[in-house]
Amino acid sequence: MKQKRMLGTLLSVILVFFNSVSVSAAPSREQFDPDYYASMYPDVRAVYGNDAEALWNHFITYGFAEGRSMNGLPDSDVREEGAGTELSGNAAGFQVSAEIGARNFCAGIYFCAFIKEDQTLWTCGGAGSIGSMMMMPADWIAGDWMEGSRGVPVKVMDHVKSVYSNGDMTCYAITTDNSLWALGENNGAFGDGTVQPSRIPVKIMDDVVYVESKKYSWYEPGAYQSIHQGYAVIALKSDGTLWGWGTNHWGELGDGTCNPHLTPVKIMDHVVYAANATYYSGMTDDVASTYAIQSDGSLWAWGHNHAGQLGNGNRDSQLSPVKIMDHVRTFQTKDGSCTAIKTDGSCWHWGSSFSHTEGMMILHNAITHPKKIADGVFTAASSDLANYMIKQDNILWAWGKAPALDFTGSGQSFESAVPVPIMENVSSIHVGAFSTFAIRTDNTLWGWGMNSNGEIGNRTAERIPSPTFVMDQVFDIYTTSFNTYILRTDGTLWGCGADEYCQLGQGSWEHQRTAPVKIADRVKIG
């Protein structure tokens, strides 16, 4: 039961800043100024120097989605001629970037997956490696049906450009021809019309640029409560259409019903980015919601609304998309709250405010309308307790109520209704289920939080109340409830935290590894 409750926490969404998206047509190489880009973003220059081609590749792969400017000219990166009007498919010039939300590595509760420089997909992990002979669906992900986990990375498929996880035991891959594939646990998560797991990739659909999937659980009341598990999956196609499939228990597919769908159904048009969110509601259930930015910059939401996370002025769930606000550049959603950055750099927040009491998440208040927090914001992220934003001067700010944290050094639990600065020279913020990480402009990684599995990687499994140095030369990270995976600037992939299922690829299991260990070389960057 404890593991199920921890899994419930894992199911909270973690849409970190690099999944943000500009509301625009595809950027033009002719408008890109490499000198400006390098001088404006020292974190990028530290990795790529002044190499114009490398800087351009970084911009179209990451910078464009993160909202970075390519030349400093007003509006050149926000919208081009024809954007912000009612569009009619590609005829109006609408285009979804093929690099939106692209990931080179990801992880689930029992496995990790990564793409090498030669575009091959590799995975490691599984189940059964702690003495149990019971076979679990996670073994399918490792590509080998066996009594135990795949202790070292194994190649799964070729020609892969992006990989995703539902945070549990399902893995998705988008290949170089933009086709979407899935393997691992199914039960409706694949969208292929079946519920059968597969150890080999199964093709789902074509022309996909991004996919996101979440697993959630709920209880059926009665004399004997029974637990049910469901999936919420969305896929964005290159023509801007958003598709979804899965359990739809909370109406998170936005088709006006709560009926399940084992194959993709169309949700809406003119979408440039979308994300779904699940979180433990504090009673007995996980709940699910979905958000989307359309090409005119409008933000829409639908699904469960227990904490006011839809931002539509009430706490009533919605089975179809409802409009929240206009002029949105990016958003992040987690644990029943949502934070949006508008095109003018203003930061807005709404939804839940929780605290932990005797293992339960207690909802204190629900902000049902977007509330302005600050101006001049680059990106933001939220957890169930603390909220974070990075301003354009690279200063990290926090607000909320977090009993386990102490950002001020006062020895008292952090509690602030307004943002306070906690760290300088920060280029990105990554919020996990129990721990939070910041990558600074010098590519050093810093972490803080509960650290109960050693996932911070500072050689302890003790609570870390304030930012602590973890590792240098860090390019990107990915977090789960029990693990942190770190991609360094030299293309090496490292991991720390729980390793009872060999998810850290060391060839043998350990209860936990509190210092980062190397998993692979030559992992794709950019």
Side-chain angles (χ1 to χ4, degrees):
M1 190 66 184
K2 180 180 179 181
Q3 186 182 37
K4 288 179 180 177
R5 193 54 61 214
M6 292 182 75
L7 175 59
T9 305
L10 168 65
L11 297 175
S12 302
V13 85
I14 179 168
L15 178 63
V16 294
F17 84 105
F18 44 74
N19 283 342
S20 62
V21 59
S22 294
V23 182
S24 73
S28 166
R29 176 61 186 269
E30 289 72 23
Q31 291 181 303
F32 181 71
D33 184 343
D35 294 332
Y36 170 86
Y37 197 69
S39 63
M40 184 66 180
Y41 305 110
D43 58 316
V44 178
R45 186 177 67 248
V47 179
Y48 300 103
N50 293 311
D51 186 326
E53 187 66 25
L55 293 168
W56 165 248
N57 287 334
H58 178 274
F59 174 70
I60 62 173
T61 304
Y62 296 101
F64 180 60
E66 292 167 5
R68 303 192 190 219
S69 174
M70 64 179 174
N71 54 24
L73 299 178
D75 298 330
S76 63
D77 305 312
V78 177
R79 58 182 70 242
E80 296 180 357
E81 185 178 357
T85 58
E86 188 66 22
L87 302 180
S88 177
N90 289 331
F94 171 70
Q95 182 177 354
V96 175
S97 170
E99 305 298 337
I100 286 177
R103 290 218 57 88
N104 297 333
F105 65 110
C106 68
I109 192 170
Y110 300 124
F111 78 98
C112 77
F114 54 91
I115 304 170
K116 288 204 168 189
E117 293 172 349
D118 61 0
Q119 297 183 319
T120 55
L121 175 63
W122 297 67
T123 65
C124 57
S129 57
I130 54 176
S132 171
M133 300 300 290
M134 182 178 68
M135 303 315 301
M136 296 178 67
D139 294 308
W140 290 101
I141 291 178
D144 194 40
W145 185 251
M146 54 185 284
E147 292 182 355
S149 300
R150 172 62 69 177
V152 295
V154 59
K155 178 181 171 182
V156 175
M157 63 187 301
D158 296 304
H159 309 301
V160 177
K161 70 175 186 178
S162 195
V163 62
Y164 307 88
S165 164
N166 67 351
D168 195 59
M169 296 185 291
T170 309
C171 185
Y172 301 86
I174 297 178
T175 52
T176 53
D177 63 356
N178 289 335
S179 57
L180 175 64
W181 301 70
L183 72 157
E185 184 182 66
N186 187 352
N187 292 329
F190 284 11
D192 66 338
T194 77
V195 296
Q196 298 302 314
S198 178
R199 67 183 177 205
I200 58 175
V202 175
K203 186 175 180 180
I204 311 303
M205 61 195 307
D206 292 311
D207 300 321
V208 176
V209 296
Y210 176 75
V211 66
E212 184 160 302
S213 175
K214 299 292 181 296
K215 184 178 181 178
Y216 59 90
S217 305
W218 73 94
Y219 285 89
E220 197 70 41
Y224 298 96
Q225 283 194 342
S226 58
I227 190 170
H228 297 267
Q229 295 182 336
Y231 294 91
V233 191
I234 53 173
L236 178 60
K237 301 188 77 171
S238 58
D239 62 358
T241 56
L242 182 66
W243 299 72
W245 60 92
T247 312
N248 201 30
H249 182 70
W250 303 109
E252 66 271 12
L253 297 186
D255 67 339
T257 76
C258 289
N259 299 328
H261 295 280
L262 292 180
T263 57
V265 293
K266 184 178 175 181
I267 301 175
M268 62 192 309
D269 295 303
H270 311 316
V271 176
V272 294
Y273 190 75
N276 53 17
T278 59
Y279 79 100
Y280 179 54
S281 67
M283 301 300 290
T284 57
D285 297 333
D286 301 321
V287 297
S289 311
T290 308
Y291 303 78
I293 299 176
Q294 288 196 311
S295 56
D296 61 357
S298 58
L299 177 63
W300 300 70
W302 56 96
H304 201 277
N305 197 25
H306 166 73
Q309 66 265 38
L310 300 188
N312 65 331
N314 57 57
R315 293 172 61 184
D316 299 330
S317 297
Q318 302 291 328
L319 301 184
S320 300
V322 293
K323 186 176 178 179
I324 302 175
M325 60 196 309
D326 290 306
H327 309 301
V328 175
R329 177 174 62 82
T330 180
F331 68 91
Q332 188 272 352
T333 177
K334 189 180 190 301
D335 291 328
S337 67
C338 190
T339 305
I341 311 297
K342 287 195 170 188
T343 53
D344 63 0
S346 59
C347 177
W348 300 71
H349 183 80
W350 62 94
S352 65
S353 174
F354 285 100
S355 69
H356 288 283
T357 303
E358 296 181 352
M360 299 293 289
M361 286 179 63
I362 306 301
L363 178 64
H364 289 297
N365 64 343
I367 304 171
T368 60
H369 281 293
K371 176 183 178 181
K372 186 175 179 179
I373 303 299
D375 289 307
V377 177
F378 168 60
T379 190
S382 299
S383 71
D384 56 358
L385 300 176
N387 306 293
Y388 303 92
M389 65 181 177
I390 303 174
K391 289 200 170 185
Q392 293 168 357
D393 57 5
N394 294 111
I395 295 178
L396 176 64
W397 298 66
W399 72 97
K401 184 177 182 180
L405 303 180
D406 175 18
F407 294 132
T408 64
S410 65
Q412 310 236 342
S413 297
F414 175 74
E415 183 174 354
S416 178
V418 297
V420 296
I422 62 172
M423 197 174 190
E424 297 180 342
N425 303 317
V426 177
S427 59
S428 64
I429 180 74
H430 306 255
V431 178
F434 301 112
S435 298
T436 301
F437 298 85
I439 300 178
R440 304 187 77 172
T441 54
D442 61 359
N443 295 105
T444 56
L445 177 65
W446 299 69
W448 59 94
M450 295 305 295
N451 196 34
S452 55
N453 290 282
E455 69 272 11
I456 290 181
N458 68 327
R459 301 181 184 275
T460 76
E462 299 176 354
R463 180 174 64 91
I464 308 298
S466 58
T468 298
F469 174 78
V470 178
M471 182 179 267
D472 59 9
Q473 299 179 4
V474 174
F475 180 75
D476 196 4
I477 74 166
Y478 191 96
T479 65
T480 71
S481 282
F482 312 128
N483 294 98
T484 303
Y485 298 89
I486 305 165
L487 180 60
R488 303 186 77 182
T489 55
D490 62 359
T492 56
L493 180 65
W494 299 68
C496 53
D499 198 20
E500 294 178 340
Y501 300 96
C502 297
Q503 60 263 49
L504 298 183
Q506 299 304 294
S508 62
W509 71 274
E510 292 285 347
H511 175 59
Q512 56 187 211
R513 301 182 191 271
T514 60
V517 293
K518 187 163 75 169
I519 299 172
D521 293 300
R522 303 182 67 83
V523 176
K524 179 184 173 185
I525 291 181

